[in-house]
Amino acid sequence: MISSLQLHLSKIFLKIFLRNRQAILFSLFFPLIFIGAFSFSGSEPQPFLIGVEDKSNSPFSSEFIENLEKEDLFTLINGDFENLKLSLEEGEIDGFIVIPENFEEIENLDALKFYVDASQARQASIIKQAIDRSLVSIERNIRNMSPLFSVELEDVKSRNQRYIDFLLPGLLAFMIMNLSIAGSGFNIVEYRRRGILKRLFVTPIKPRDFMIGIVLARMAIVLVQLSVVLSIALLLLDINIIGSYISFYCAVILGTLIFLCIGFALGSLAKTQEGIRPVVGLVTFPQVILSGVFFPISSMPELVQPIIYSLPLSSVVSSLREIANDGASLFSFSASTIGLVIWVMIAFFISIRFFVWKEVAR
Amino acid sequence: MNILEVRGLEKSYPDPESDKNLKAVDGISFILEEVQIYGILGPNGAGKTTTLEMIEGLTDIDKGYAAVNGINVADNPYAVKEIIGVQLQSNEYFDSLSLKELLVLFGKLYQNNVDPKDLLNKVDLLEKINSKPEELSGGQKQRFSIACALVNEPKVLFLDEPTTGLDPQAKHNLWELIKELNLSGMTIILTTHNMEEAENLCHKVAIMDKGRILIEGNPKDLIHKYDQEHGNLENVFLSLTGKELRD
């Protein structure tokens, strides 16, 4: 159980943190900038800009254009061939359609020409499908037919998955890692440099008490900071957390424990403030790139995926994402939540192994 | 009973310049009777601080034996820490905590509920109770670090160069404090390279150089024996340790 000394120590560490306004603001700065950027840019995909040159100017061609305008996918711009070609080349529009003069003459109609930038093949096929749809419906009108088949889209997951929904759990995991490693690792190095650990060592304090004091205080700090960022994201970006908040916060607590312990080990390994920065960078930077904070791990080369999945940040990111995006429970013991628990044990072990009071305090 | 006993203490460090080990402390023995002030004198690098740190349990003892109040330091460092008070050369504390908060914290480390006012009154810092250590002057800082060392009402107080860097007023003020503590029944062991301090305060001094005790005794006896001409401890010190510069 937690002793009164450990509680007193954690209160002291909290006090120290709360009196350092600069550190508080700074730790919220990065995630809030991210969220701010997303809330202003809007994360919905932009509609395609399509140019149209209507050479026929007939009821048919206006009906065709009207049909196209109904598509959410497009925004239409009128213009003539030369101008539209120039805009396409400069990347201002995504493609343009030329409606031939004889659009009405169904019998010997020239092909409708759709000009695209060949490097944008994916968009081109989407646009072409929409044009086809529009043409089919015009044809039906002309021939007085009603559609034989109809398709209604029904989202199986019945929810919108935007990039920000995917990104947020990654960002929070990233935040947990940074705050935790800084909270234990950087503080230890600083306290040692100033001889504070040495002063503590000559009292009967046990290293366990010191570590638990820091862990409790930092845990509270991380939880509050994370909640601030999360609630701002919920309010501004209309994020959906599908799973239970209990699962979500349990995963957060386990993740914080992992990185606090890793921080203790790193802080014990690096002897100086100059020394700890590269060491921490070496541990955190590859994980930020690899562990699926910004894009899914499944987009990585298949050969290295198993290694990436076994990184500590990956287990935190995947667990949070499963809970937030897929509504999983932490207690369903998926691969990532088991990974999370295994990492807590590994991190605990290495922190005990490296955080030797006598060595660290000197 | 001797409150402090040290026999044949040795400590080596790897020498960065050669492959060999450097002997920082090379076979030191002394005993300290209760309610004495004992001074370890020596030039920089003589091994004074290492000696204290071994007795405090901060540094492992390579060879030899150290006991405080009959408790072997190597066997039971925590029991020793309970009954000693330590003032280190560097005296920095956690940021943004007041003297009061720091004293309460130090008390808790010994499971003691201390009265910060009483402690600060002892070291004449009562009016600074809500100040931060970084707002104190050099002499006040030293007095505060002594207050921190008193939270567990120690049997032996360790002071490592307590007056280094202080102006004469602050120095004399601190000497008075050390004398008062001694008069109230505390055994004190201190290191210094200030001869005046040793002459003024200590019942017994050991002059140390290159990891060894060269001579030990009552300051007056030492002066009588080694420097009848000038009559001060500084000449005893210089004649024993030589006049070349130390780093």
Side-chain angles (χ1 to χ4, degrees):
Chain A
M1 273 316 283
I2 292 159
S3 70
S4 74
L5 170 61
Q6 289 161 1
L7 266 183
H8 187 85
L9 275 170
S10 62
K11 258 192 266 169
I12 290 286
F13 288 125
L14 270 180
K15 237 183 225 173
I16 295 170
F17 178 81
L18 289 176
R19 289 179 188 172
N20 188 350
R21 299 258 148 73
Q22 221 178 345
I24 301 176
L25 288 178
F26 200 73
S27 59
L28 290 172
F29 186 70
F30 180 69
L32 288 182
I33 286 282
F34 251 91
I35 288 177
F38 270 96
S39 62
F40 286 119
S41 73
S43 50
E44 295 298 329
Q46 295 282 330
F48 296 116
L49 272 180
I50 300 293
V52 181
E53 186 188 16
D54 185 2
K55 286 186 175 167
S56 103
N57 259 326
S58 59
F60 273 174
S61 67
S62 359
E63 191 185 345
F64 171 71
I65 292 171
E66 241 170 64
N67 268 319
L68 277 187
E69 275 175 341
K70 279 184 206 150
E71 294 273 350
D72 295 338
L73 273 174
F74 303 130
T75 305
L76 292 185
I77 300 169
N78 285 313
D80 61 52
F81 182 81
E82 287 307 316
N83 283 336
L84 290 174
K85 187 160 176 275
L86 205 67
S87 306
L88 177 63
E89 277 166 3
E90 295 191 342
E92 288 165 7
I93 59 175
D94 297 296
F96 65 92
I97 302 161
V98 177
I99 302 171
E101 281 171 44
N102 57 355
F103 196 54
E104 276 180 304
E105 298 164 28
I106 295 154
E107 303 308 317
N108 57 356
L109 172 63
D110 286 343
L112 198 84
K113 288 239 168 69
F114 176 45
Y115 297 83
V116 283
D117 181 350
S119 61
Q120 308 282 340
R122 190 186 63 89
Q123 299 178 6
S125 72
I126 298 172
I127 299 168
K128 185 171 176 296
Q129 282 168 19
I131 294 172
D132 284 341
R133 269 203 306 276
S134 176
L135 289 175
V136 167
S137 85
I138 296 170
E139 193 180 331
R140 285 192 192 121
N141 276 349
I142 298 167
R143 301 191 180 183
N144 269 325
M145 293 187 335
S146 58
L148 192 54
F149 303 107
S150 72
V151 180
E152 252 178 63
L153 271 185
E154 206 55 70
D155 188 354
V156 181
K157 287 181 168 176
S158 59
R159 67 200 139 81
N160 273 330
Q161 179 83 339
R162 297 162 305 162
Y163 179 57
I164 184 67
D165 292 296
F166 170 85
L167 181 65
L168 186 77
L171 271 186
L172 293 179
F174 172 68
M175 201 180 143
I176 290 171
M177 176 171 77
N178 280 344
L179 288 175
S180 307
I181 290 186
S184 54
F186 285 97
N187 274 338
I188 284 177
V189 173
E190 178 65 6
Y191 292 158
R192 174 174 42 211
R193 183 183 69 75
R194 295 170 54 194
I196 295 173
L197 290 185
K198 203 173 182 177
R199 182 64 188 86
L200 287 181
F201 185 80
V202 294
T203 74
I205 183 179
K206 301 268 193 320
R208 185 183 59 224
D209 296 331
F210 177 77
M211 289 172 89
I212 290 178
I214 285 199
V215 166
L216 288 178
R218 283 289 148 178
M219 186 69 77
I221 293 165
V222 171
L223 287 179
V224 170
Q225 287 185 320
L226 191 118
S227 303
V228 170
V229 172
L230 183 62
S231 23
I232 292 175
L234 289 173
L235 285 174
L236 286 185
L237 299 176
D238 188 30
I239 301 281
N240 248 334
I241 302 281
I242 314 270
S244 81
Y245 279 92
I246 294 175
S247 280
F248 194 79
Y249 271 91
C250 283
V252 167
I253 287 171
L254 291 180
T256 309
L257 266 181
I258 292 174
F259 291 112
L260 280 174
C261 287
I262 290 177
F264 277 116
L266 297 181
S268 319
L269 276 173
K271 296 289 173 206
T272 60
Q273 199 75 17
E274 295 79 46
I276 191 167
R277 285 183 195 281
V279 173
V280 166
L282 204 67
V283 172
T284 58
F285 190 68
Q287 295 200 74
V288 174
I289 302 293
L290 296 173
S291 292
V293 170
F294 297 103
F295 43 83
I297 298 175
S298 54
S299 65
M300 286 288 180
E302 221 159 290
L303 208 63
V304 292
Q305 280 188 26
I307 302 169
I308 296 175
Y309 272 113
S310 52
L311 293 172
L313 185 60
S314 301
S315 71
V316 182
V317 172
S318 318
S319 300
L320 288 181
R321 203 163 272 154
E322 278 172 14
I323 296 164
N325 293 355
D326 304 333
S329 158
L330 183 67
F331 312 101
S332 60
F333 295 108
S334 69
S336 34
T337 57
I338 290 171
L340 203 58
V341 174
I342 290 175
W343 264 111
V344 171
M345 293 190 286
I346 295 174
F348 183 72
F349 177 78
I350 60 167
S351 71
I352 297 286
R353 165 73 185 72
F354 286 108
F355 190 81
V356 180
W357 204 207
K358 200 171 246 168
E359 302 290 320
V360 176
R362 287 191 55 75
Chain B
M1 191 182 66
N2 298 317
I3 186 88
L4 185 74
E5 189 176 349
V6 170
R7 275 202 315 258
L9 272 195
E10 281 184 29
K11 181 74 196 178
S12 310
Y13 290 113
D15 184 358
E17 281 161 27
S18 71
D19 296 339
K20 281 184 286 179
N21 275 355
L22 205 70
K23 267 206 167 144
V25 176
D26 188 7
I28 282 204
S29 307
F30 60 89
I31 48 176
L32 197 55
E33 286 156 35
E34 233 164 328
V35 207
Q36 266 191 342
I37 302 182
Y38 189 88
I40 302 179
L41 273 153
N44 289 335
K48 306 184 296 286
T49 299
T50 309
T51 303
L52 286 197
E53 287 187 349
M54 279 193 281
I55 306 169
E56 294 157 3
L58 196 54
T59 302
D60 282 330
I61 297 170
D62 283 355
K63 220 177 188 179
Y65 165 86
V68 182
N69 204 26
I71 305 166
N72 186 336
V73 175
D75 292 345
N76 209 341
Y78 278 96
V80 171
K81 287 174 183 182
E82 293 277 0
I83 57 167
I84 62 174
V86 177
Q87 183 232 26
L88 298 171
Q89 268 182 44
S90 75
N91 51 7
E92 286 212 52
Y93 302 91
F94 291 119
D95 288 320
S96 54
L97 295 179
S98 67
L99 304 195
K100 181 181 171 184
E101 287 166 324
L102 283 165
L103 285 172
V104 171
L105 170 65
F106 275 109
K108 289 271 183 193
L109 301 179
Y110 297 87
Q111 319 285 343
N112 267 7
N113 287 320
V114 297
D115 177 5
K117 277 187 193 160
D118 182 44
L119 281 166
L120 287 173
N121 200 19
K122 253 185 207 166
V123 298
D124 198 21
L125 281 175
L126 191 54
E127 75 280 13
K128 297 281 179 188
I129 189 159
N130 291 316
S131 306
K132 314 262 155 63
E134 60 264 28
E135 296 158 8
L136 301 179
S137 70
Q140 289 172 330
K141 251 187 195 164
Q142 287 297 48
R143 279 186 277 142
F144 175 62
S145 75
I146 289 179
C148 288
L150 296 177
V151 291
N152 58 330
E153 294 162 19
K155 283 194 182 329
V156 186
L157 184 62
F158 291 72
L159 306 175
D160 198 358
E161 300 191 4
T163 56
T164 300
L166 297 188
D167 63 34
Q169 283 83 0
K171 194 162 32 183
H172 281 271
N173 177 291
L174 202 71
W175 288 349
E176 288 312 308
L177 173 63
I178 293 170
K179 277 183 192 165
E180 270 170 40
L181 290 170
N182 179 244
L183 282 177
S184 73
M186 200 169 286
T187 308
I188 296 168
I189 177 167
L190 57 88
T191 68
T192 181
H193 35 226
N194 183 328
M195 302 306 131
E196 201 190 345
E197 183 164 302
E199 254 182 276
N200 206 315
L201 286 177
C202 301
H203 302 107
K204 208 171 167 190
V205 296
I207 296 181
M208 205 179 156
D209 195 20
K210 294 177 182 145
R212 293 186 183 177
I213 291 181
L214 303 176
I215 197 167
E216 190 195 34
N218 178 289
K220 287 193 182 67
D221 294 347
L222 290 182
I223 292 164
H224 183 70
K225 202 166 161 190
Y226 291 88
D227 186 48
Q228 289 174 342
E229 201 182 327
H230 303 92
N232 71 40
L233 199 55
E234 184 143 339
N235 281 323
V236 177
F237 182 81
L238 286 175
S239 69
L240 286 168
T241 60
K243 287 187 177 170
E244 77 270 24
L245 276 175
R246 305 301 171 93
D247 47 20

